[in-house]
Amino acid sequence: MEHMSVIHKTTCRICKGPDLVKILALGDHPPVDNFLSEKDIAREKRYPLDVFFCRACNLVQLLDVVSPEELFHGDYAYFSSASEPLVRHFEQYASDLRQRFLSDGDLVVDIGSNDGVLLQFLKDYQVLGIEPSENVARAAREKGIETLVAFFNSSLADTIIASHGKAKVITANNVFAHIDDIDEIIRGVRILLADDGVYAFEAHYLLDLIQKKEFDTVYHEHLCYYSVKPLIELFRRFEMDIFDVERQETHGGSIRVYAGKKGAHSIEPSVQTLLQLEKDAGLHDEQTFAGFQKEVESIRAKLLEVVREARTEGKKVIGYGAPAKGNTLLNYCGFTADDIAYITDTTPHKIGLLTPGSHIPVVSPDILKTETPTLILLLAWNYKDYILEKEADVRKRGARFIIPIPRVEIV
Ligand code: DWN
């Protein structure tokens, strides 16, 4: 793997202002989706993971930008379809888009389409995926979804218009928060979008992150931690409106934002409702973040206490799910394979590799058919209900799950 490169920004990604204050410092971390084998360990690099608040437009963001070519490379580890509840979420999302916006023959373009998890449910329309990671794009093509291996930008928008025409719906789910030059994305969306078209994107929601202490959703892929207020300012700069916003449960709590060309869609009350909710929760006020570092440190202290106590008592602790966020949590706590013997995961690509930074082996969940660990650290806590039900048998055999977020509890 090529050496990583990182740039250190000094201005806000949305308003371009310099008035930024650090609100969370998590230390130096390796990119969380770069699972690796023993031979790659020597070349692994870490970068600062610090979160900043813009006093002017209130965007919460990272300023240390690891190059996208090396985060979303040809051997990317994240396949959305590895999580059954997420597939169900995108099936519902597709039917929402179908009912509300789509007519026969419309073009739907998905930016950051991963393995076709959304477009697979819209194949009766013209669909086009855009996915920079070759291996993940291949999985989409195997589902019969036309997919361009590329990063989206305004020149690609022109190319797509020439070959496919303008898009009625453009989506960008768990990708719009990953992009440094968001202006370029919106320029491209504005070019590609039909005049009555809709740009719909999902991103984890800052309100959930703060209220449920989801510090582990901070990692180098996530450059922005959106709230509605700065997004309105961003789209206004491009003569676009945000006309509807829906809270979603995915990834610990997300927002689905609907935007269109100025005046093309009537503005729903949901926009003002969420703006008010954010104001009431203090998301536009720097003071709200003052205590966050301490809250995160106390979650770490509790996790260290539980896991290290089990270790001194000779009890076996494992991890369940090897999500990107799990690697922020493991590395922030400084856990290694001496603390967490192994981690199970349903993603074939991750099985047999080591987690970045903590270097814990990832194995198939099948091991739990025969092994009964004492404690299971639920790193994929955002699927807690689904997983606790699925793993009822290992719990009957005496295993207990450590749920780390929003507070450490053992169930
Ligand atoms: O931005 C991103 C977020 C939104 O999605 C991407 N960087 C990658 C990804 O982050 P993540 O890896 O934290 O997402 P998930 O969907 O929470 O990852 C869950 C992991 O757990 C997957 O590797 C699959 C695995 N899993 C499992 O082993 N057993 C999931 C389920 C539901 C299970 O039962």
Side-chain angles (χ1 to χ4, degrees):
M1 191 177 306
E2 293 307 306
H3 272 294
M4 302 289 182
S5 62
V6 61
I7 55 167
H8 304 280
K9 291 175 81 85
T10 56
T11 55
C12 172
R13 204 161 271 114
I14 284 190
C15 71
K16 319 300 180 195
D19 198 3
L20 295 148
V21 58
K22 190 184 292 188
I23 55 171
L24 183 65
L26 293 176
D28 290 350
H29 289 244
V32 288
D33 271 312
N34 287 5
F35 291 75
L36 70 174
S37 48
E38 292 280 351
K39 67 177 175 45
D40 295 328
I41 287 178
R43 287 187 297 159
E44 190 176 52
K45 295 191 77 173
R46 289 172 174 253
Y47 297 100
L49 199 49
D50 297 327
V51 185
F52 292 81
F53 172 81
C54 173
R55 290 192 178 102
C57 76
N58 306 152
L59 178 69
V60 173
Q61 59 200 293
L62 303 188
L63 298 179
D64 296 298
V65 182
V66 178
S67 71
E69 290 73 17
E70 292 162 4
L71 288 182
F72 308 105
H73 43 70
D75 198 25
Y76 191 55
Y78 185 71
F79 290 73
S80 305
S81 302
S83 301
E84 180 58 25
L86 207 53
V87 176
R88 298 286 70 81
H89 167 79
F90 281 107
E91 185 172 27
Q92 180 57 54
Y93 191 165
S95 104
D96 296 346
L97 294 173
R98 178 190 300 277
Q99 281 156 13
R100 198 167 166 188
F101 305 116
L102 291 171
S103 313
D104 288 353
D106 281 345
L107 172 65
V108 182
V109 175
D110 189 17
I111 301 170
S113 48
N114 199 271
D115 56 6
V117 68
L118 173 67
L119 293 180
Q120 65 186 330
F121 299 112
L122 292 167
K123 284 167 67 174
D124 43 324
Y125 300 96
Q126 266 199 92
V127 292
L128 178 65
I130 301 166
E131 171 51 52
S133 299
E134 165 69 38
N135 63 321
V136 173
R138 199 177 315 120
R141 287 176 177 154
E142 281 160 13
K143 291 182 184 133
I145 294 159
E146 186 184 1
T147 303
L148 302 177
V149 178
F151 287 98
F152 182 72
N153 55 35
S154 46
S155 64
L156 184 60
D158 288 326
T159 308
I160 294 169
I161 291 173
S163 55
H164 292 71
K166 292 212 168 187
K168 181 67 178 293
V169 169
I170 301 173
T171 51
N173 306 304
N174 304 127
V175 63
F176 195 55
H178 299 49
I179 289 160
D180 184 28
D181 187 355
I182 39 184
D183 288 8
E184 176 59 13
I185 297 298
I186 300 186
R187 263 192 291 277
V189 163
R190 221 185 178 297
I191 291 167
L192 181 56
L193 200 60
D195 287 346
D196 63 345
V198 175
Y199 173 50
F201 64 93
E202 289 189 348
H204 49 294
Y205 191 24
L206 179 65
L207 187 61
D208 291 293
L209 192 162
I210 296 298
Q211 290 186 335
K212 293 184 275 182
K213 303 173 183 49
E214 299 170 351
F215 74 91
D216 54 349
T217 60
V218 174
Y219 41 86
H220 295 109
E221 291 182 22
H222 291 169
L223 292 172
C224 294
Y225 300 83
Y226 286 125
S227 55
V228 176
K229 181 171 177 278
L231 281 169
I232 289 174
E233 169 159 345
L234 171 67
F235 281 89
R236 188 180 293 140
R237 274 203 288 114
F238 290 88
E239 299 280 298
M240 291 182 76
D241 295 327
I242 289 179
F243 65 86
D244 193 8
V245 188
E246 294 166 355
R247 295 184 76 171
Q248 298 289 332
E249 289 184 4
T250 50
H251 299 298
S254 300
I255 40 174
R256 183 185 303 166
V257 180
Y258 296 93
K261 292 181 179 173
K262 191 167 182 53
H265 303 272
S266 55
I267 312 287
E268 300 292 333
S270 61
V271 179
Q272 277 311 321
T273 304
L274 279 184
L275 271 175
Q276 190 58 48
L277 202 58
E278 291 172 5
K279 191 168 177 343
D280 297 345
L283 282 201
H284 311 151
D285 171 1
E286 177 183 341
Q287 284 318 308
T288 306
F289 303 94
F292 194 51
Q293 179 86 32
K294 284 272 174 284
E295 290 175 325
V296 169
E297 286 166 2
S298 67
I299 290 176
R300 173 172 62 181
K302 185 68 182 150
L303 278 174
L304 283 166
E305 180 194 325
V306 169
V307 172
R308 294 281 157 79
E309 189 179 301
R311 183 175 160 186
T312 44
E313 290 167 4
K315 293 175 180 165
K316 184 158 207 175
V317 186
I318 70 156
Y320 195 101
K325 58 179 151 306
N327 293 314
T328 292
L329 188 143
L330 291 168
N331 287 315
Y332 182 61
C333 293
F335 286 140
T336 67
D338 293 336
D339 302 295
I340 312 279
Y342 56 78
I343 298 172
T344 69
D345 195 283
T346 49
T347 313
H349 179 95
K350 295 179 182 178
I351 293 170
L353 293 178
L354 302 172
T355 50
S358 50
H359 307 149
I360 297 169
V362 180
V363 302
S364 159
D366 292 347
I367 194 168
L368 295 180
K369 290 181 180 139
T370 50
E371 285 221 358
T372 307
T374 310
L375 288 170
I376 304 177
L377 177 55
L378 184 57
L379 295 167
W381 47 263
N382 45 316
Y383 301 114
K384 176 179 128 183
D385 297 342
Y386 172 83
I387 290 171
L388 289 183
E389 191 181 325
K390 185 167 81 161
E391 296 302 343
D393 184 45
V394 75
R395 298 177 72 205
K396 270 197 212 97
R397 286 185 268 133
R400 286 289 165 269
F401 277 82
I402 305 169
I403 315 297
I405 298 287
R407 73 190 65 75
V408 179
E409 52 177 357
I410 296 176
V411 298

